[in-house]
Amino acid sequence: MNHPHGESLDHTDQDKAIAAWREILGTDALVRAPEELAAAERNTSAFPPRHLVAILRPTRAEQVTEVVRVAREHRVPLYPISTGRNWGLGSKLPVRPGGALLDLSGLNRVRSVDTRGRYAVVEPGVTQAQLANHLATHAPTLVANVTGSSPNSSVIGNLLERGTGFRRHRADEVRGLEVVIGLGELVRTGLWADPGARHAHHYRHGLGPGLDGLFVQSNLGIVTAAVVDLLPRREELRLLMFSFSEEVLAGVFDTVGELFTADVLRSIVHVFNDKRILSMSASTQVPTWTGVVAIDGSRAQVALAVAEASAALAAAGAAPREVSAEAVAGEAADPLLSAMYAVHSGRPSTAFLEGLHQATGATTVPDAATVDALDDSTIGYLACMPVIAVDGAAAQELVALVEGVCAEYAIVPALAINPMNADYAEVVINLYFDRTDPDQTRAAHACNDKLYRRLYAEGFRFYRVGIDAMEFLTEQDTAPWGVISQLKAALDPAGVIAPGRYCPVTD
Ligand SMILES: Cc1cc2nc3c(=O)[nH]c(=O)nc-3n(C[C@H](O)[C@H](O)[C@H](O)COP(=O)(O)OP(=O)(O)OC[C@H]3O[C@@H](n4cnc5c(N)ncnc54)[C@H](O)[C@@H]3O)c2cc1C
C-alpha cells in the first residue's frame, strides 16, 4: 500500500526511492547502517524512537530539489533537520515514524554578509558559532542574535521552530527564505524571487502576499537558505540583572511591561526561577527569581535607560544591579555573568549546557566534545512552552498552576518567563530527569502531558510544541488547521514533507 506517513510504507517504493536518492547524493551521503539510524533516533527527551529508513546528507540546494521529487514520486516522507538539536521537543526525531531523515547540516555556507544592509544569507547547516566567528572576522560592526543552546546549533532550524535568541525573536529577523516545496520546486520569497531586483533584502515584505510565515513552524517546505537580520554593535552594552521573591512577581512583571511600552527596554527580558538558574551556574544559593536584560546604545542612552529601569524595578520590590563589560572580563569574573554577557553580545556559550549537566548530577564538567552530546547522555529533558500576556496576575496564576501540577509528580520545574516586548511573554517549563531511571522517566512524561492538558483546559496556549504533543494540539482548534491542510495539499500534494509537524495528518 502506498502510504505517505510511514508506518506501512511499501518496500518496493522505499527501495526505489533509496536507489534514486543514492544516484543523486552518492553512496557516502546516504546512510542505512542500523547503528547510525539508531543513534539518530536516540533523544534526550526519551520520546519513543520513530523508525527511520535512511539518513540523507545533501550538500547543495539543487540536490534537495531532486531528493524531494523522488520522495514525491515514491511517496516516501522526508524529515528535514538543520543541525538536529531540537532538544526537549524531539531532537532529530520526526513526528511520525517511517521515511528518511534529511540532514541539511552539510549545506553550511554563509553565502554572503552585507555590512551596510545588516543582513546575512545563511544555509541550514550554518551554526551560531560559525556565524558569530564569520562576523567577528568579516563584519565586526555586526552582532548575531544567539540563543543559550549549543554553539553548534543552527540559525535556520532555530528560527524555523520559531525559537528565540537572547536579544530578540528569531522569526522576526527573517528577510527572505529559499524553500523547496513538496512539488519539488525551489521558491524564493519576497523581492528575492526577482533576480533583477535591487535592494531585494531591504524590504522584507515583497510584493503581494507575504510567504515567509508559511514556512516557519510548518511542513510546507524545506528551507535551503534564509536572509537574516543582524544587530548593529553599539558603543556600549550593559546587562541589567534583578532578583526578587515570589511575593512581588506580579508587580515586577507589570513594571517590565510598562518599561517596554515606554521604550526604556528594547531587548528580550529573561526571568528565571531558582531551579533554572541552578541549571546554569555552579552556585547553590540563588534568589527565587532572577531577571536579565541587555541595554545597549550610546553611553548616554545606556546610562539613562539603566537608571530609569533600575528605579522602576526597585520600586516594584526587585533588587537591580548592572553588569558592564569590565565586570565580566578577567579570570575572577563570575562564570554565569560572563556567559550571560557573552550571549547578549552575540557570542554563543556552552555555559548553559555545562550547567544542565551539573544540575542533573554530573560530578565533572564534560569536555567540549561531549557537552552538547545530550542525546547520548543520561540527561532527561522535556520542555513545555505556553505564551502569556505581560501581565503580573497571569504570570502568577501560571506559576501556581505549573508548580501545582509538577508537585503531583514530585518534580521541581526549571522555569523561564521571558517578556519579549510589552505584549507577550514566552514561558519555558523544563523538566529534568535521569533517563536511566524508568520511574523518573515515566513521571516526567506524565507530568509534561498533564501540563499541556491542564494549561490548555485553563485557556493557556502554546507557542512551540514537542513532537509528542503535536497530535493532541492539531486535533484541537489551536490554529486554523483546515486552511493549513489545504495549503499543505497544494504545496505538498503527496504529503511527504515532515508529516504531522504543526499540521494535522489525514490518514
Ligand atoms: C541548555 C539549552 C539552552 C537552550 N536555549 C535555547 C534558547 O535560548 N532559545 C531557543 O529557541 N532554544 C533553546 N534551546 C532549544 C534548542 O536546543 C534550540 O532551539 C536549537 O537551536 C534547535 O536545534 P537546531 O538549531 O539544531 O534545529 P533543528 O533541530 O535542526 O530544527 C528544529 C526543527 O525545525 C525543522 N527544520 C529544521 N531545519 C529545517 C529546514 N531547513 N527546513 C524545514 N524544516 C526544518 C525540523 O522540524 C526540526 O525538527 C536550548 C536547549 C538547551 C538544552
mmCIF file of all heavy atoms in Angstrom, residues 79-87 91 104 124 147-149 153-154 156-158 160-161 163-164 166 221-223 352-353 356 374 381 464 501, ligand 1:
data_model
loop_
_atom_site.group_PDB
_atom_site.id
_atom_site.type_symbol
_atom_site.label_atom_id
_atom_site.label_comp_id
_atom_site.label_asym_id
_atom_site.label_seq_id
_atom_site.Cartn_x
_atom_site.Cartn_y
_atom_site.Cartn_z
ATOM 1 N N TYR A 79 12.085 14.016 6.679
ATOM 2 C CA TYR A 79 12.024 14.909 7.844
ATOM 3 C C TYR A 79 13.285 15.765 7.849
ATOM 4 O O TYR A 79 14.380 15.287 8.160
ATOM 5 C CB TYR A 79 11.902 14.112 9.148
ATOM 6 C CG TYR A 79 11.541 15.011 10.314
ATOM 7 C CD1 TYR A 79 10.235 15.457 10.477
ATOM 8 C CD2 TYR A 79 12.503 15.418 11.234
ATOM 9 C CE1 TYR A 79 9.898 16.309 11.525
ATOM 10 C CE2 TYR A 79 12.166 16.259 12.289
ATOM 11 C CZ TYR A 79 10.862 16.697 12.422
ATOM 12 O OH TYR A 79 10.521 17.534 13.457
ATOM 13 N N PRO A 80 13.165 17.047 7.439
ATOM 14 C CA PRO A 80 14.367 17.886 7.369
ATOM 15 C C PRO A 80 14.818 18.368 8.742
ATOM 16 O O PRO A 80 13.991 18.744 9.573
ATOM 17 C CB PRO A 80 13.914 19.074 6.510
ATOM 18 C CG PRO A 80 12.436 19.146 6.674
ATOM 19 C CD PRO A 80 11.952 17.763 7.001
ATOM 20 N N ILE A 81 16.113 18.341 8.965
ATOM 21 C CA ILE A 81 16.690 18.981 10.158
ATOM 22 C C ILE A 81 17.862 19.844 9.697
ATOM 23 O O ILE A 81 18.453 19.578 8.646
ATOM 24 C CB ILE A 81 17.184 17.969 11.220
ATOM 25 C CG1 ILE A 81 18.189 16.979 10.609
ATOM 26 C CG2 ILE A 81 16.024 17.241 11.855
ATOM 27 C CD1 ILE A 81 18.999 16.212 11.642
ATOM 28 N N SER A 82 18.187 20.858 10.482
ATOM 29 C CA SER A 82 19.350 21.693 10.156
ATOM 30 C C SER A 82 20.570 21.126 10.871
ATOM 31 O O SER A 82 21.456 20.575 10.245
ATOM 32 C CB SER A 82 19.072 23.148 10.531
ATOM 33 O OG SER A 82 18.125 23.700 9.636
ATOM 34 N N THR A 83 20.607 21.256 12.212
ATOM 35 C CA THR A 83 21.684 20.575 12.951
ATOM 36 C C THR A 83 21.120 19.589 13.979
ATOM 37 O O THR A 83 21.875 18.964 14.724
ATOM 38 C CB THR A 83 22.647 21.585 13.636
ATOM 39 O OG1 THR A 83 21.873 22.527 14.396
ATOM 40 C CG2 THR A 83 23.474 22.326 12.613
ATOM 41 N N GLY A 84 19.786 19.460 14.056
ATOM 42 C CA GLY A 84 19.153 18.382 14.817
ATOM 43 C C GLY A 84 19.256 18.482 16.329
ATOM 44 O O GLY A 84 19.169 17.468 17.026
ATOM 45 N N ARG A 85 19.389 19.706 16.844
ATOM 46 C CA ARG A 85 19.499 19.852 18.307
ATOM 47 C C ARG A 85 18.212 20.423 18.897
ATOM 48 O O ARG A 85 18.242 21.279 19.778
ATOM 49 C CB ARG A 85 20.720 20.719 18.642
ATOM 50 C CG ARG A 85 22.029 19.992 18.360
ATOM 51 C CD ARG A 85 23.225 20.894 18.449
ATOM 52 N NE ARG A 85 24.480 20.155 18.430
ATOM 53 C CZ ARG A 85 25.058 19.656 17.332
ATOM 54 N NH1 ARG A 85 24.474 19.804 16.156
ATOM 55 N NH2 ARG A 85 26.209 19.012 17.411
ATOM 56 N N ASN A 86 17.093 19.909 18.422
ATOM 57 C CA ASN A 86 15.782 20.383 18.885
ATOM 58 C C ASN A 86 15.462 19.741 20.240
ATOM 59 O O ASN A 86 14.419 19.113 20.433
ATOM 60 C CB ASN A 86 14.730 20.019 17.824
ATOM 61 C CG ASN A 86 13.446 20.827 17.970
ATOM 62 O OD1 ASN A 86 13.443 21.881 18.607
ATOM 63 N ND2 ASN A 86 12.367 20.333 17.410
ATOM 64 N N TRP A 87 16.391 19.924 21.186
ATOM 65 C CA TRP A 87 16.321 19.262 22.493
ATOM 66 C C TRP A 87 15.082 19.680 23.273
ATOM 67 O O TRP A 87 14.703 20.843 23.284
ATOM 68 C CB TRP A 87 17.564 19.606 23.314
ATOM 69 C CG TRP A 87 18.822 19.062 22.715
ATOM 70 C CD1 TRP A 87 19.025 17.799 22.221
ATOM 71 C CD2 TRP A 87 20.064 19.758 22.543
ATOM 72 N NE1 TRP A 87 20.314 17.671 21.756
ATOM 73 C CE2 TRP A 87 20.963 18.846 21.946
ATOM 74 C CE3 TRP A 87 20.503 21.037 22.845
ATOM 75 C CZ2 TRP A 87 22.291 19.191 21.642
ATOM 76 C CZ3 TRP A 87 21.808 21.389 22.542
ATOM 77 C CH2 TRP A 87 22.679 20.471 21.955
ATOM 78 N N SER A 91 14.572 16.470 19.532
ATOM 79 C CA SER A 91 15.922 16.255 18.976
ATOM 80 C C SER A 91 15.828 16.067 17.466
ATOM 81 O O SER A 91 15.247 16.897 16.789
ATOM 82 C CB SER A 91 16.621 15.085 19.684
ATOM 83 O OG SER A 91 16.776 15.390 21.060
ATOM 84 N N LEU A 104 20.454 18.453 6.834
ATOM 85 C CA LEU A 104 20.933 19.560 5.995
ATOM 86 C C LEU A 104 22.186 20.230 6.553
ATOM 87 O O LEU A 104 22.556 21.312 6.109
ATOM 88 C CB LEU A 104 19.806 20.591 5.818
ATOM 89 C CG LEU A 104 18.554 20.030 5.122
ATOM 90 C CD1 LEU A 104 17.365 20.975 5.297
ATOM 91 C CD2 LEU A 104 18.813 19.793 3.644
ATOM 92 N N PRO A 124 21.154 26.086 6.022
ATOM 93 C CA PRO A 124 20.679 25.434 7.258
ATOM 94 C C PRO A 124 21.769 24.899 8.177
ATOM 95 O O PRO A 124 21.592 24.861 9.397
ATOM 96 C CB PRO A 124 19.823 24.265 6.741
ATOM 97 C CG PRO A 124 19.458 24.621 5.350
ATOM 98 C CD PRO A 124 20.536 25.497 4.820
ATOM 99 N N THR A 147 21.225 32.147 20.751
ATOM 100 C CA THR A 147 20.412 31.502 21.797
ATOM 101 C C THR A 147 21.334 30.970 22.896
ATOM 102 O O THR A 147 22.555 31.009 22.766
ATOM 103 C CB THR A 147 19.631 30.301 21.233
ATOM 104 O OG1 THR A 147 20.568 29.246 20.959
ATOM 105 C CG2 THR A 147 18.868 30.648 19.966
ATOM 106 N N GLY A 148 20.728 30.399 23.929
ATOM 107 C CA GLY A 148 21.500 29.776 25.003
ATOM 108 C C GLY A 148 21.841 28.332 24.688
ATOM 109 O O GLY A 148 22.443 27.632 25.497
ATOM 110 N N SER A 149 21.449 27.880 23.505
ATOM 111 C CA SER A 149 21.720 26.491 23.132
ATOM 112 C C SER A 149 23.163 26.345 22.662
ATOM 113 O O SER A 149 23.951 27.295 22.713
ATOM 114 C CB SER A 149 20.734 26.053 22.049
ATOM 115 O OG SER A 149 20.849 24.661 21.827
ATOM 116 N N SER A 153 24.513 24.603 17.403
ATOM 117 C CA SER A 153 23.131 24.543 16.912
ATOM 118 C C SER A 153 22.979 25.582 15.804
ATOM 119 O O SER A 153 23.769 26.512 15.684
ATOM 120 C CB SER A 153 22.137 24.778 18.055
ATOM 121 O OG SER A 153 22.331 26.064 18.601
ATOM 122 N N SER A 154 21.926 25.411 15.011
ATOM 123 C CA SER A 154 21.823 26.198 13.780
ATOM 124 C C SER A 154 21.082 27.515 13.972
ATOM 125 O O SER A 154 20.346 27.698 14.946
ATOM 126 C CB SER A 154 21.071 25.378 12.739
ATOM 127 O OG SER A 154 19.715 25.285 13.111
ATOM 128 N N ILE A 156 19.077 28.492 11.239
ATOM 129 C CA ILE A 156 17.827 28.260 10.499
ATOM 130 C C ILE A 156 16.878 27.297 11.229
ATOM 131 O O ILE A 156 15.682 27.557 11.316
ATOM 132 C CB ILE A 156 18.143 27.770 9.067
ATOM 133 C CG1 ILE A 156 18.647 28.960 8.237
ATOM 134 C CG2 ILE A 156 16.914 27.125 8.406
ATOM 135 C CD1 ILE A 156 18.798 28.712 6.753
ATOM 136 N N GLY A 157 17.386 26.186 11.770
ATOM 137 C CA GLY A 157 16.500 25.247 12.479
ATOM 138 C C GLY A 157 15.824 25.958 13.641
ATOM 139 O O GLY A 157 14.628 25.789 13.892
ATOM 140 N N ASN A 158 16.591 26.769 14.341
ATOM 141 C CA ASN A 158 16.028 27.503 15.478
ATOM 142 C C ASN A 158 14.948 28.481 15.019
ATOM 143 O O ASN A 158 13.867 28.543 15.611
ATOM 144 C CB ASN A 158 17.150 28.225 16.226
ATOM 145 C CG ASN A 158 16.645 28.971 17.446
ATOM 146 O OD1 ASN A 158 16.530 30.188 17.418
ATOM 147 N ND2 ASN A 158 16.317 28.262 18.512
ATOM 148 N N LEU A 160 13.180 28.253 12.327
ATOM 149 C CA LEU A 160 12.026 27.521 11.774
ATOM 150 C C LEU A 160 11.182 26.877 12.864
ATOM 151 O O LEU A 160 10.037 26.514 12.642
ATOM 152 C CB LEU A 160 12.488 26.461 10.770
ATOM 153 C CG LEU A 160 13.111 27.026 9.495
ATOM 154 C CD1 LEU A 160 13.571 25.901 8.590
ATOM 155 C CD2 LEU A 160 12.129 27.931 8.752
ATOM 156 N N GLU A 161 11.750 26.703 14.043
ATOM 157 C CA GLU A 161 10.978 26.209 15.190
ATOM 158 C C GLU A 161 10.372 27.414 15.921
ATOM 159 O O GLU A 161 9.731 27.267 16.932
ATOM 160 C CB GLU A 161 11.925 25.399 16.088
ATOM 161 C CG GLU A 161 11.286 24.556 17.158
ATOM 162 C CD GLU A 161 10.259 23.545 16.673
ATOM 163 O OE1 GLU A 161 10.497 22.844 15.677
ATOM 164 O OE2 GLU A 161 9.193 23.464 17.314
ATOM 165 N N GLY A 163 12.178 29.813 17.324
ATOM 166 C CA GLY A 163 12.972 29.932 18.541
ATOM 167 C C GLY A 163 13.306 31.375 18.862
ATOM 168 O O GLY A 163 12.936 32.295 18.131
ATOM 169 N N THR A 164 14.025 31.544 19.949
ATOM 170 C CA THR A 164 14.278 32.879 20.458
ATOM 171 C C THR A 164 15.741 33.046 20.827
ATOM 172 O O THR A 164 16.278 32.238 21.586
ATOM 173 C CB THR A 164 13.425 33.105 21.724
ATOM 174 O OG1 THR A 164 12.098 32.713 21.437
ATOM 175 C CG2 THR A 164 13.440 34.544 22.138
ATOM 176 N N PHE A 166 18.800 35.585 22.576
ATOM 177 C CA PHE A 166 18.755 36.375 23.810
ATOM 178 C C PHE A 166 18.264 37.793 23.568
ATOM 179 O O PHE A 166 17.700 38.417 24.451
ATOM 180 C CB PHE A 166 20.127 36.376 24.503
ATOM 181 C CG PHE A 166 20.226 35.260 25.492
ATOM 182 C CD1 PHE A 166 20.687 34.021 25.107
ATOM 183 C CD2 PHE A 166 19.791 35.431 26.790
ATOM 184 C CE1 PHE A 166 20.729 32.970 26.001
ATOM 185 C CE2 PHE A 166 19.811 34.392 27.699
ATOM 186 C CZ PHE A 166 20.287 33.159 27.304
ATOM 187 N N GLY A 221 7.431 23.189 3.366
ATOM 188 C CA GLY A 221 8.611 23.266 2.516
ATOM 189 C C GLY A 221 9.878 22.979 3.295
ATOM 190 O O GLY A 221 9.856 22.859 4.526
ATOM 191 N N ILE A 222 10.967 22.846 2.551
ATOM 192 C CA ILE A 222 12.279 22.608 3.158
ATOM 193 C C ILE A 222 13.138 23.825 2.847
ATOM 194 O O ILE A 222 13.360 24.159 1.681
ATOM 195 C CB ILE A 222 12.912 21.327 2.570
ATOM 196 C CG1 ILE A 222 12.026 20.125 2.931
ATOM 197 C CG2 ILE A 222 14.331 21.142 3.066
ATOM 198 C CD1 ILE A 222 12.394 18.838 2.232
ATOM 199 N N VAL A 223 13.581 24.493 3.886
ATOM 200 C CA VAL A 223 14.309 25.752 3.703
ATOM 201 C C VAL A 223 15.783 25.445 3.403
ATOM 202 O O VAL A 223 16.435 24.715 4.147
ATOM 203 C CB VAL A 223 14.161 26.635 4.964
ATOM 204 C CG1 VAL A 223 15.045 27.866 4.869
ATOM 205 C CG2 VAL A 223 12.699 27.020 5.145
ATOM 206 N N PHE A 352 25.501 27.129 29.510
ATOM 207 C CA PHE A 352 24.180 26.658 29.942
ATOM 208 C C PHE A 352 24.077 25.143 29.801
ATOM 209 O O PHE A 352 23.397 24.484 30.583
ATOM 210 C CB PHE A 352 23.089 27.392 29.157
ATOM 211 C CG PHE A 352 23.277 28.880 29.187
ATOM 212 C CD1 PHE A 352 23.513 29.595 28.028
ATOM 213 C CD2 PHE A 352 23.295 29.569 30.394
ATOM 214 C CE1 PHE A 352 23.749 30.968 28.077
ATOM 215 C CE2 PHE A 352 23.531 30.937 30.449
ATOM 216 C CZ PHE A 352 23.757 31.636 29.289
ATOM 217 N N LEU A 353 24.779 24.593 28.811
ATOM 218 C CA LEU A 353 24.826 23.129 28.689
ATOM 219 C C LEU A 353 25.626 22.531 29.840
ATOM 220 O O LEU A 353 25.243 21.510 30.417
ATOM 221 C CB LEU A 353 25.477 22.739 27.362
ATOM 222 C CG LEU A 353 24.581 22.890 26.128
ATOM 223 C CD1 LEU A 353 25.411 22.847 24.857
ATOM 224 C CD2 LEU A 353 23.515 21.808 26.106
ATOM 225 N N LEU A 356 23.508 22.484 32.798
ATOM 226 C CA LEU A 356 22.496 21.426 32.715
ATOM 227 C C LEU A 356 23.087 20.084 33.162
ATOM 228 O O LEU A 356 22.453 19.329 33.901
ATOM 229 C CB LEU A 356 21.994 21.354 31.271
ATOM 230 C CG LEU A 356 20.878 20.381 30.946
ATOM 231 C CD1 LEU A 356 19.665 20.604 31.831
ATOM 232 C CD2 LEU A 356 20.469 20.531 29.477
ATOM 233 N N LEU A 374 23.859 15.732 24.240
ATOM 234 C CA LEU A 374 22.759 15.461 25.187
ATOM 235 C C LEU A 374 22.014 14.172 24.844
ATOM 236 O O LEU A 374 21.590 13.435 25.726
ATOM 237 C CB LEU A 374 21.736 16.604 25.162
ATOM 238 C CG LEU A 374 22.065 17.904 25.867
ATOM 239 C CD1 LEU A 374 20.823 18.757 25.991
ATOM 240 C CD2 LEU A 374 22.668 17.646 27.227
ATOM 241 N N TYR A 381 15.267 15.420 29.434
ATOM 242 C CA TYR A 381 14.935 16.845 29.309
ATOM 243 C C TYR A 381 13.678 17.001 28.451
ATOM 244 O O TYR A 381 13.651 16.577 27.300
ATOM 245 C CB TYR A 381 16.151 17.549 28.695
ATOM 246 C CG TYR A 381 15.976 18.980 28.283
ATOM 247 C CD1 TYR A 381 15.294 19.886 29.084
ATOM 248 C CD2 TYR A 381 16.513 19.447 27.091
ATOM 249 C CE1 TYR A 381 15.150 21.210 28.692
ATOM 250 C CE2 TYR A 381 16.379 20.765 26.693
ATOM 251 C CZ TYR A 381 15.689 21.635 27.495
ATOM 252 O OH TYR A 381 15.539 22.942 27.110
ATOM 253 N N ARG A 464 5.142 26.842 20.873
ATOM 254 C CA ARG A 464 6.115 25.903 20.322
ATOM 255 C C ARG A 464 5.836 24.580 21.012
ATOM 256 O O ARG A 464 5.633 24.578 22.232
ATOM 257 C CB ARG A 464 7.489 26.421 20.746
ATOM 258 C CG ARG A 464 8.657 26.052 19.902
ATOM 259 C CD ARG A 464 9.803 26.957 20.325
ATOM 260 N NE ARG A 464 11.076 26.316 20.094
ATOM 261 C CZ ARG A 464 12.240 26.808 20.475
ATOM 262 N NH1 ARG A 464 12.286 27.963 21.129
ATOM 263 N NH2 ARG A 464 13.352 26.189 20.228
ATOM 264 N N ARG A 501 4.019 17.531 11.373
ATOM 265 C CA ARG A 501 4.699 18.662 12.036
ATOM 266 C C ARG A 501 3.838 19.906 11.879
ATOM 267 O O ARG A 501 3.657 20.426 10.781
ATOM 268 C CB ARG A 501 6.084 18.870 11.407
ATOM 269 C CG ARG A 501 6.782 20.135 11.902
ATOM 270 C CD ARG A 501 8.229 20.179 11.452
ATOM 271 N NE ARG A 501 8.760 21.537 11.438
ATOM 272 C CZ ARG A 501 9.191 22.211 12.517
ATOM 273 N NH1 ARG A 501 9.147 21.650 13.714
ATOM 274 N NH2 ARG A 501 9.655 23.436 12.397
HETATM 275 C C1 LIG B 1 20.773 24.455 27.554
HETATM 276 C C2 LIG B 1 19.820 24.742 26.425
HETATM 277 C C3 LIG B 1 19.555 26.060 26.081
HETATM 278 C C4 LIG B 1 18.671 26.356 25.039
HETATM 279 N N1 LIG B 1 18.427 27.668 24.752
HETATM 280 C C5 LIG B 1 17.553 27.985 23.783
HETATM 281 C C6 LIG B 1 17.246 29.364 23.520
HETATM 282 O O1 LIG B 1 17.802 30.280 24.129
HETATM 283 N N2 LIG B 1 16.346 29.633 22.545
HETATM 284 C C7 LIG B 1 15.751 28.650 21.825
HETATM 285 O O2 LIG B 1 14.937 28.961 20.939
HETATM 286 N N3 LIG B 1 16.016 27.346 22.058
HETATM 287 C C8 LIG B 1 16.902 26.977 23.007
HETATM 288 N N4 LIG B 1 17.179 25.648 23.258
HETATM 289 C C9 LIG B 1 16.455 24.605 22.478
HETATM 290 C C10 LIG B 1 17.190 24.086 21.196
HETATM 291 O O3 LIG B 1 18.403 23.455 21.530
HETATM 292 C C11 LIG B 1 17.418 25.188 20.133
HETATM 293 O O4 LIG B 1 16.189 25.731 19.725
HETATM 294 C C12 LIG B 1 18.191 24.702 18.887
HETATM 295 O O5 LIG B 1 18.572 25.805 18.092
HETATM 296 C C13 LIG B 1 17.374 23.754 17.993
HETATM 297 O O6 LIG B 1 18.255 22.908 17.320
HETATM 298 P P1 LIG B 1 18.757 23.134 15.821
HETATM 299 O O7 LIG B 1 19.191 24.541 15.647
HETATM 300 O O8 LIG B 1 19.724 22.064 15.538
HETATM 301 O O9 LIG B 1 17.411 22.954 14.953
HETATM 302 P P2 LIG B 1 16.879 21.591 14.250
HETATM 303 O O10 LIG B 1 16.730 20.536 15.274
HETATM 304 O O11 LIG B 1 17.741 21.300 13.095
HETATM 305 O O12 LIG B 1 15.498 22.146 13.721
HETATM 306 C C14 LIG B 1 14.363 22.283 14.538
HETATM 307 C C15 LIG B 1 13.145 21.776 13.746
HETATM 308 O O13 LIG B 1 12.910 22.671 12.654
HETATM 309 C C16 LIG B 1 12.587 21.951 11.465
HETATM 310 N N5 LIG B 1 13.622 22.245 10.467
HETATM 311 C C17 LIG B 1 14.937 22.366 10.707
HETATM 312 N N6 LIG B 1 15.582 22.711 9.594
HETATM 313 C C18 LIG B 1 14.668 22.778 8.625
HETATM 314 C C19 LIG B 1 14.738 23.143 7.244
HETATM 315 N N7 LIG B 1 15.874 23.501 6.696
HETATM 316 N N8 LIG B 1 13.580 23.145 6.525
HETATM 317 C C20 LIG B 1 12.396 22.830 7.112
HETATM 318 N N9 LIG B 1 12.274 22.498 8.419
HETATM 319 C C21 LIG B 1 13.406 22.484 9.172
HETATM 320 C C22 LIG B 1 12.574 20.481 11.835
HETATM 321 O O14 LIG B 1 11.256 20.058 12.070
HETATM 322 C C23 LIG B 1 13.382 20.409 13.111
HETATM 323 O O15 LIG B 1 12.933 19.376 13.957
HETATM 324 C C24 LIG B 1 18.042 25.306 24.312
HETATM 325 C C25 LIG B 1 18.319 23.980 24.652
HETATM 326 C C26 LIG B 1 19.199 23.704 25.707
HETATM 327 C C27 LIG B 1 19.454 22.274 26.071
#
